[in-house]
Amino acid sequence: MAALPRLVCASSVMLVVWAGFCSAVCVEVPSETEAVQGTHMKLLCISCMKREEVTASTVVEWFYRPEGGKDEPIYEYRKTNHEFPSRFSGRLQWNGSKDMQDVSITVLNVTLNDSGIYTCNITREFEFEIHRPLFTSSRLIHLTVVEEAGEDFTSVISEIMMYILLVFLTLWLLIEMVYCYRKVSKAEEAAQENATDYLAIPSENKENCAVPVEE
């Protein structure tokens, strides 16, 4: 049954990719908000640009705020990657795209202490002939790190729906089999009755039945 959640996830990914091709440039997808201790967690940050805005210089700043604490810089992209000294030292990996619309980072070997709020700030300076306007945007990710992965509610619903579908199909097949069996039985009974009635007819009447009467 574990294959079904994977199928649902794969279908979701394909839907997102298809939507990305249908749109002009990209699709803004929210980041996951739960990670399992000891795994790698990608903090997804996507900032789409219009076609006429593709030519731009981009600065990306990542901040982390623990529960009840203050924002502290942990990572920066300004033409080159720079990792600030923090609890994440040596555990941050850049996952941004070449067009700088995806400016995500990955936290390696996540710990329980990595729970908190991550902020992704994007500053773009667009290169127009007359002026160079600046635009900024932010993404907040409330990350919770757990010791073990819990069963996804969507997976549970998918499995329940699968069982309901199997029961429905089984009942439908049984009904079809009973219907076909009764239909065949009635046809055989009718054929048997016709054969019996034919055998009960006298020989001379059989010949009259077999030869058509001409006027």
Side-chain angles (χ1 to χ4, degrees), residues 1-29:
M1 300 304 173
L4 183 62
R6 296 195 191 99
L7 180 61
V8 173
C9 293
S11 301
S12 301
V13 172
M14 290 299 296
L15 181 61
V16 170
V17 173
W18 177 80
F21 281 114
C22 292
S23 63
V25 179
C26 71
V27 175
E28 295 187 7
V29 182

Side-chain angles (χ1 to χ4, degrees), residues 182-199:
R182 289 183 176 179
K183 190 174 181 180
V184 171
S185 298
K186 287 182 178 180
E188 290 180 352
E189 290 177 0
Q192 186 67 29
E193 289 178 359
N194 292 335
T196 303
D197 294 341
Y198 180 78
L199 292 174

Side-chain angles (χ1 to χ4, degrees), residues 29-32 42-46 62 102 104-105 139 141:
V29 182
S31 176
E32 295 289 339
K42 182 176 181 179
L43 302 175
L44 192 62
C45 182
I46 297 178
W62 278 92
D102 183 354
S104 307
I105 61 173
R139 304 285 186 276
I141 302 173

Side-chain angles (χ1 to χ4, degrees), residues 94-108:
W94 174 254
N95 285 130
S97 58
K98 292 183 179 180
D99 60 4
M100 296 303 293
Q101 299 195 83
D102 183 354
V103 291
S104 307
I105 61 173
T106 296
V107 181
L108 306 177

